[in-house]
Amino acid sequence: MSTSPNFVAPSHQRYLRACMVCSIVMTYARFRDEGCPNCEEFLHLAHNQDTIESCTSQVFEGLLTLADPSKSWVAKWQRLETYVGGVYALKVSGQLPDEIRATLEEEYRIQYIPRDGSANEEGES
């Protein structure tokens, strides 16, 4: 039996982190070695410890596994339909640093919506 690249052994679950932009959940080592499969183009997490620490979070709630996000109504509901298959957090605590958020919005024209639920609780700042 082969091991899935997204399988995380129970002994490694304490090393899980969730991306604050797309909410994919991977180990710290995978973020370090591969970067985020959805956000690497603009977050540049691979081999960048400081960026991993500031753009991913160890505090998240719920897990959702998606095989084919483009065909899943749950993925659409969670704003994940354009991302790769994998394990995603339903809610990720924390927010991106202001400079990264500004880069997303100004250079890449990506509107950042926090995945911690704060966008639903408060108005625009």
Side-chain angles (χ1 to χ4, degrees), residues 7-123:
F7 174 78
V8 178
S11 62
H12 287 86
Q13 289 181 358
R14 67 177 161 203
Y15 303 113
L16 291 177
R17 299 185 72 86
C19 176
M20 289 187 205
V21 176
C22 70
S23 78
I24 195 162
V25 175
M26 301 190 315
T27 60
Y28 180 92
R30 279 197 62 201
F31 278 117
R32 181 194 63 222
D33 297 342
E34 304 169 19
C36 179
N38 300 308
C39 308
E40 191 60 20
E41 173 186 342
F42 46 86
L43 287 183
H44 311 291
L45 299 177
H47 310 293
N48 192 335
Q49 180 179 352
D50 292 337
T51 308
I52 293 170
E53 293 289 332
S54 61
C55 296
T56 67
S57 176
Q58 288 182 300
V59 183
F60 54 87
E61 297 177 23
L63 292 174
L64 169 67
T65 302
L66 297 170
D68 187 354
S70 66
K71 295 181 180 179
S72 169
W73 69 267
V74 175
K76 185 174 182 177
W77 182 262
Q78 292 292 321
R79 303 182 325 268
L80 304 170
E81 69 270 16
T82 60
Y83 296 149
V84 300
V87 178
Y88 290 84
L90 296 178
K91 189 174 183 181
V92 181
S93 294
Q95 291 193 14
L96 287 177
D98 291 337
E99 64 274 4
I100 293 174
R101 190 177 187 167
T103 300
L104 278 178
E105 294 173 355
E106 293 168 11
E107 289 183 33
Y108 294 96
R109 304 286 184 229
I110 297 171
Q111 180 186 3
Y112 171 63
I113 301 172
R115 295 213 174 250
D116 63 358
S118 65
N120 297 331
E121 297 166 6
E122 59 187 51

